[in-house]
Amino acid sequence: MKEKDRRNLRELWRQADASRRLHVGDEVHLRGLTEISNHCVRQCGYCGLRAGNSYIERYRMNKTEIMECAGECVRREYGTIVLQAGEDYGIKTPALSNLIQRIKAETPLAVTLSMGERPLADLSEWRNAGADRYLLRFETSDRHLYELIHPAYKGRKSDRIVTLRVLKSLGYEIGGGVMVGIPGQTYESLARDIEIFRELDLDMIGIGPYLPHPQTPLGRGEWKRNISEAEQAPNDEETTLKMFALSRIACPEANIPATTALATLNPQSGIEAGLMRGANVLMPDLTPQRFRNNYQIYPDRQAIHDSHDLSLRRRLENIDRRPGVGPGGRFDRLSEIIAL
């Protein structure tokens, strides 16, 4: 993780890209990201959606607005819609179940949920309604650091790694992931994160640089963990790309997105850099503009867009990649291989 020799890094990039090509191919699967609510009950130390941030206008999309995004997803020939929100209990479980059932009945889309740490009954009901995947990043496997940045909600200790195992037992494809460069995060901790990816047999792995929101304790610099500068992992592009590459090699079949956070760090070529170092998924933002500016997990967020002039597809062509066809889930690929 500390490697700086350019020749060795080129070899790492080469091996990661070769593993990506062998195991998931040259298709880049496009997921239509729809941020359906920015309400959140949690007080995470870095996230702009935290309940204590009074500087954003809260919103919650209605069913008609969400179905319009699903329709746009179909028109753009994406295979998946991603419904994402803060941990918002204003999103009622039966209502989301009905929405999932409608999307599955009226479109060919796979449905991915990212709703935070909801109770088991909610997760089970949504799976029974037809949800295919669930994203729940654990951000760091360092337990002490995790508890610092994720305060307990109503006295309930959080353990997202346990929750991911529960989600897998319910039949979801599961997605986890981490931030890179959290204050107090060591290189050793990042290496352990990759071991956790493999132990959980994650179907999706989301990795992005740590980008704190200014209206948060971390963003205001209210605490710093006492580790040496030599131990502290940086939140830069190169370290993030090392995590992409090493995760691809360790988990060759996983879907790995080139994340919005990486694109924010490097708007010009962050997407391409991620795709050339192991990533095989992009999540263009379909959230209506009137809501998008208030979904500020971190500042100056550069959402990935797929404009009508097909610029995103041209960017893929420039690196010899092509848009994927169909849902593009890990289970889908395994079924195709078995059928052959």
Side-chain angles (χ1 to χ4, degrees):
M1 197 69 70
K2 295 181 179 180
E3 182 63 67
K4 293 294 183 182
D5 187 282
R6 306 320 297 178
R7 291 171 299 178
N8 291 340
L9 286 175
R10 283 195 295 271
E11 178 59 18
L12 174 61
W13 309 147
R14 187 197 67 77
Q15 289 187 28
D17 200 45
S19 179
R20 184 272 309 161
R21 184 176 297 110
L22 176 64
H23 293 280
V24 300
D26 288 331
E27 290 188 335
V28 176
H29 289 282
L30 304 177
R31 325 288 205 202
L33 177 61
T34 305
E35 296 148 337
I36 65 176
S37 168
N38 70 348
H39 290 264
C40 190
V41 300
R42 305 302 290 262
Q43 294 281 14
C44 297
Y46 58 89
C47 180
L49 301 191
R50 69 194 309 265
N53 182 9
S54 60
Y55 291 88
I56 58 171
E57 181 180 346
R58 302 289 176 170
Y59 73 85
R60 190 176 292 123
M61 291 174 62
N62 63 40
K63 187 175 292 187
T64 299
E65 291 165 335
I66 296 169
M67 287 304 300
E68 287 174 354
C69 291
E72 184 64 21
C73 208
V74 173
R75 284 190 290 276
R76 296 188 185 194
E77 299 182 337
Y78 301 166
T80 299
I81 186 167
V82 180
L83 304 180
Q84 180 169 290
E87 194 166 317
D88 177 10
Y89 291 93
I91 298 174
K92 302 302 181 183
T93 304
L96 186 55
S97 294
N98 291 338
L99 181 66
I100 294 165
Q101 290 170 339
R102 185 174 170 189
I103 292 172
K104 299 297 285 189
E106 298 180 16
T107 77
L109 298 171
V111 175
T112 297
L113 301 179
S114 181
M115 298 283 130
E117 299 173 53
R118 298 286 292 234
L120 174 60
D122 296 358
L123 303 175
S124 181
E125 180 171 330
W126 295 333
R127 174 62 184 149
N128 290 335
D132 301 280
R133 309 177 188 132
Y134 203 98
L135 302 179
L136 187 67
R137 290 183 20 161
F138 54 86
E139 308 302 5
T140 176
S141 59
D142 180 325
R143 188 67 202 176
H144 178 64
L145 182 57
Y146 178 86
E147 289 176 356
L148 281 174
I149 66 175
H150 288 92
Y153 174 61
K154 292 187 175 180
R156 300 198 307 262
K157 253 193 172 179
S158 167
D159 194 328
R160 293 188 172 191
I161 292 174
V162 169
T163 303
L164 283 164
R165 292 192 172 102
V166 170
L167 288 162
K168 182 179 279 286
S169 75
L170 292 173
Y172 285 99
E173 285 197 23
I174 59 169
V178 298
M179 293 185 295
V180 176
I182 307 166
Q185 185 181 49
T186 64
Y187 289 101
E188 183 179 352
S189 173
L190 288 175
R192 176 59 180 156
D193 292 338
I194 296 172
E195 291 179 359
I196 293 290
F197 297 163
R198 186 160 52 185
E199 288 173 16
L200 290 170
D201 192 26
L202 290 178
D203 304 299
M204 299 167 284
I205 300 171
I207 300 166
Y210 159 75
L211 300 171
H213 194 283
Q215 298 300 327
T216 64
L218 280 120
R220 292 190 292 264
E222 292 179 8
W223 65 270
K224 293 182 180 178
R225 196 163 166 207
N226 187 25
I227 65 171
S228 71
E229 185 176 340
E231 291 177 301
Q232 172 66 53
N235 63 334
D236 58 15
E237 182 179 17
E238 184 169 282
T239 308
T240 303
L241 292 173
K242 289 176 186 176
M243 285 291 289
F244 271 61
L246 292 168
S247 298
R248 170 58 67 198
I249 292 167
C251 306
E253 296 176 349
N255 281 318
I256 301 177
T259 53
T260 300
L262 183 60
T264 299
L265 204 61
N266 179 356
Q268 286 71 42
S269 59
I271 289 173
E272 289 85 350
L275 291 172
M276 294 169 69
R277 289 160 179 82
N280 70 311
V281 170
L282 291 176
M283 296 171 62
D285 196 343
L286 298 182
T287 308
Q289 188 64 52
R290 62 187 180 277
F291 301 126
R292 188 182 300 158
N293 290 339
N294 283 308
Y295 201 87
Q296 290 294 325
I297 298 173
Y298 46 81
D300 303 319
R301 191 171 64 106
Q302 297 293 314
I304 297 170
H305 298 296
D306 182 14
S307 61
H308 294 296
D309 65 1
L310 304 181
S311 60
L312 185 57
R313 286 166 168 79
R314 289 199 182 102
R315 291 177 73 173
L316 295 182
E317 290 174 4
N318 288 340
I319 57 171
D320 296 321
R321 305 288 284 280
R322 61 181 183 274
V325 177
R330 180 180 173 191
F331 293 165
D332 301 325
R333 288 198 304 270
L334 291 176
S335 297
E336 291 168 5
I337 291 169
I338 292 169
L340 293 174

